[in-house]
Each structure stands twice: as C-alpha cells, then as structure tokens.
Amino acid sequence: MMPFTYNGLPSRVIFGQGTLAQVAEEVRSLGGSRVLVLSTPEQEGQARQVLDQLGELGGDVFPGARMHTPVETTEEAMRALASLGADGVVAIGGGSTIGLAKAIALRTGLPQVAIPTTYAGSEMTPILGETKDGLKTTQRTLEVLPETVIYDVDLTLGLPVGMSGTSGINAIAHAVEALYAKDRNPIVSLMAEEGIAALARSLPTIAGTPADATARSDALYGAWLCGACLGSVGMSLHHKLCHTLGGSFDLPHAETHTIVLPHAVAYNAEAAPDAMARIARALGVEDAAAGLFDLASAVGAPTSLGALGFTVEDIDRATEIATRNPYWNPREVEAEGIRRLLADAQAGQRPASEEAHQ
C-alpha cells in the first residue's frame, strides 16, 4: 500500500426523497434566524418553494445567480443580503447558484445550506471559481464549503434530459481527474470509481426514462461521490482547460466539461495507465477516452466545442491561456499537444491515441 494522506471534509449530508422538508430544521441547527434563498432566474420557482418550507426563517429570494460566478453578481447579492439583515444563505440549483453562496460565505463567513438540483458536485467542495474581467480564477478554502447539503432526489426528477447528461458527465470529470491527481489516495480512488460507475449506468436510463426515480437516485449518489473527490484532491489539465474556456470564452460550464473530458483523458492516457484502467472498468468499456465520448453521445450531449461557438480561430488564444500557469498534470502540458487537443474537441472528433496523430 502506498503512503497517503486523507483529509475528510466537515460537511453534513442528508440524502433521500422528500428531504427538502428538513431545510428549516437544518437552518435552525446552524443558528439561522433569517436567511436569503439563492437561485438562477430559471429556478426562482423552486427557490420560492424553499422559502415556503423555511417559514419564519425565510427572508427573501435572490434569483440572480449566473454561470462562472461573476464578481458583479456577487456584489449585487451582497447588497440584497445586507438589506435583509440575513444571517445565512440557502442555495438551490446547480454550480452557478452554489458558487454564488460560496462567494458570499467567503466575504461574510455566513453558514450555507446547499440543495443541489443538478449533478455538478460543487456543494461537496471547498473550491470557489470567480470570474472578473474575462478571467476565471479559483481558490480552495474551507471557508466556502457548505455546512449542510440536502440531496432530495425528487428535485431532480424534472431536470431536463440534456442538462442531466451534461451535468452528470461534468461530475464524472471530477472523479476521473481524482484518479490521477498528484495527491490521490486509495479512499478517494474508491469513491471515484464508484461515482463514475453509478453515473455511467444511470445517465443512459435517464435519457430514455427521465422520471425513473431509481436512476435519478443513482445519479445523485454518483454526483455526491464525484463532488467529494473534487473536494478532497487536486485537479489537473481537464479542469484548467474548462476554466479557460468558461472564464475567457464564456462557454457553458457542464457542456464544456462534457466535450473536453474525453480529449483530456486521451492526452493523459499513457502517463496514467492505472487510472485509465479504473475509468474503463467503471464505464464497462475497453478504452477510457473513447468510452467517455460514447457515453456523451449515448445521452444526447454535445460532443463539439464548435457547437458551443468556440471557433478554430479561438484555439491559439485558448492554448496560450491554458498553458500560461498550468495545473499539475501527470503528463507535461505542452502547447502543441494542447492545441491539438482543442482542435479535436472543437471539431468533435472521437478521441484517438497519440500514435494516430503522428
């Protein structure tokens, strides 16, 4: 057994169906007496449902969360928080809303309750990504980790099929990179493989039968595990590329992760053979990169950055940004290889081995 260090994250998790009914009790246990409920504009209806559940503890709804957590949005939410005199926040939604709650917590120290309705996994991480002046920066601190996470499978039953697929593969990306992280350990690797397997078996079922509660439960369970992986160890090339594409080119978060992941895995395949074997086993395939591409196709997710508006002319700029201050990666981050990776992802090509490019 290799020597390792494992840090368990101090968060409380409630998982099941109908668990939203416990939100007031959880806010009260954190000392909350008047909280602000956060959501995107599209999920304001669910936010008001949470407000109703909170009763006297509910202050108001701020339905302005946006992708990539722009600093100006956080400043707007802070004004709403101050005018309400709130002593906590409840975030319902995906990574955009939970990211806003984290940004508020970083600035105020207020407690958070996160209620995920997608499979993004942000709720299980002490990581905050914020965008300012067209650049996305990330930081890791326990100050932004939600104190309580309420997983309610019922809230995911209406998640659109397209969003389910991309959100689920976004979650898989966290587990994939955990398997070859510099600070990986056997505990997180177990969670990573189990998380990939749970999502790989549930996402195709959801694509065909969106209201299948068993598949939805499996997917949410897998997303929890994958998010815990993201929160426990460092990430590598895939996440650096996606932060570049999201922050500097304003590409949608989950779709970008879905498209880039197979190509990032192909880039790292020879440098991380043990991780590739575990990914392939979890997917039930022979080749990890091709299997991830095929999973995206099977759930109807996009497979081309070009479809998101990323052009051939954008490749050089993205390469320069992504290689300027690279994250640790099992394979050296080389500009020519990254340029080729992005070109394949832009065109939507099924990943090929390095030898096929030579």
Side-chain angles (χ1 to χ4, degrees), residues 228-242:
C229 292
L230 176 65
S232 299
V233 297
M235 295 290 111
S236 300
L237 173 65
H238 168 80
H239 282 76
K240 177 65 174 185
L241 289 173
C242 291

Side-chain angles (χ1 to χ4, degrees), residues 28-282:
R28 197 173 286 110
S29 73
L30 294 171
S33 60
R34 188 170 177 80
V35 297
L36 181 64
V37 181
L38 309 174
S39 75
T40 60
E42 295 79 12
Q43 291 187 275
E44 184 175 357
Q46 284 186 310
R48 297 207 173 275
Q49 180 185 356
V50 172
L51 195 67
D52 289 343
Q53 288 280 351
L54 286 166
E56 63 182 13
L57 302 178
D60 201 358
V61 170
F62 177 82
R66 292 168 53 202
M67 280 194 314
H68 309 305
T69 319
V71 170
E72 55 268 27
T73 298
T74 301
E75 291 170 349
E76 184 183 353
M78 290 286 291
R79 289 191 289 272
L81 189 83
S83 66
L84 186 65
D87 55 10
V89 293
V90 176
I92 181 164
S96 298
T97 305
I98 291 167
L100 176 58
K102 290 178 172 184
I104 291 171
L106 181 67
R107 290 160 173 79
T108 64
L110 294 178
Q112 312 166 66
V113 174
I115 308 170
T117 60
T118 73
Y119 307 130
S122 175
E123 67 280 353
M124 291 306 299
T125 78
I127 301 168
L128 170 64
E130 296 185 279
T131 303
K132 184 177 182 180
D133 299 329
L135 289 176
K136 188 169 186 176
T137 58
T138 62
Q139 57 181 304
R140 180 183 288 261
T141 168
L142 285 175
E143 293 177 30
V144 304
L145 182 71
E147 281 77 6
T148 302
V149 180
I150 297 175
Y151 288 103
D152 190 335
V153 175
D154 292 342
L155 296 176
T156 68
L157 294 176
L159 187 65
V161 167
M163 192 180 297
S164 298
T166 55
S167 178
I169 296 175
N170 175 26
I172 286 174
H174 310 329
V176 163
E177 293 227 299
L179 286 168
Y180 53 65
K182 186 178 184 180
D183 53 351
R184 65 190 180 277
N185 62 71
I187 310 305
V188 171
S189 294
L190 282 171
M191 292 192 292
E193 188 171 345
E194 172 72 0
I196 295 169
L199 283 157
R201 67 174 175 261
S202 59
L203 293 178
T205 300
I206 290 168
T209 313
D212 187 311
T214 299
R216 290 290 187 180
S217 183
D218 268 359
L220 201 57
Y221 164 68
W224 167 25
L225 290 172
C226 293
C229 292
L230 176 65
S232 299
V233 297
M235 295 290 111
S236 300
L237 173 65
H238 168 80
H239 282 76
K240 177 65 174 185
L241 289 173
C242 291
H243 292 159
T244 296
L245 294 168
S248 299
F249 297 87
D250 201 31
L251 298 190
H253 182 85
E255 291 88 342
T256 300
H257 275 269
T258 298
I259 294 164
V260 170
L261 181 60
H263 301 282
V265 166
Y267 183 92
N268 283 330
E270 291 187 11
D274 291 344
M276 297 303 132
R278 296 188 78 150
I279 297 164
R281 182 168 63 204

Side-chain angles (χ1 to χ4, degrees), residues 315-338:
I315 291 173
D316 283 345
R317 178 169 170 248
T319 299
E320 192 277 324
I321 296 171
T323 56
R324 191 184 298 159
N325 294 297
Y327 297 173
W328 181 90
N329 193 61
R331 174 184 166 186
E332 184 179 354
V333 177
E334 303 166 325
E336 185 51 42
I338 300 306

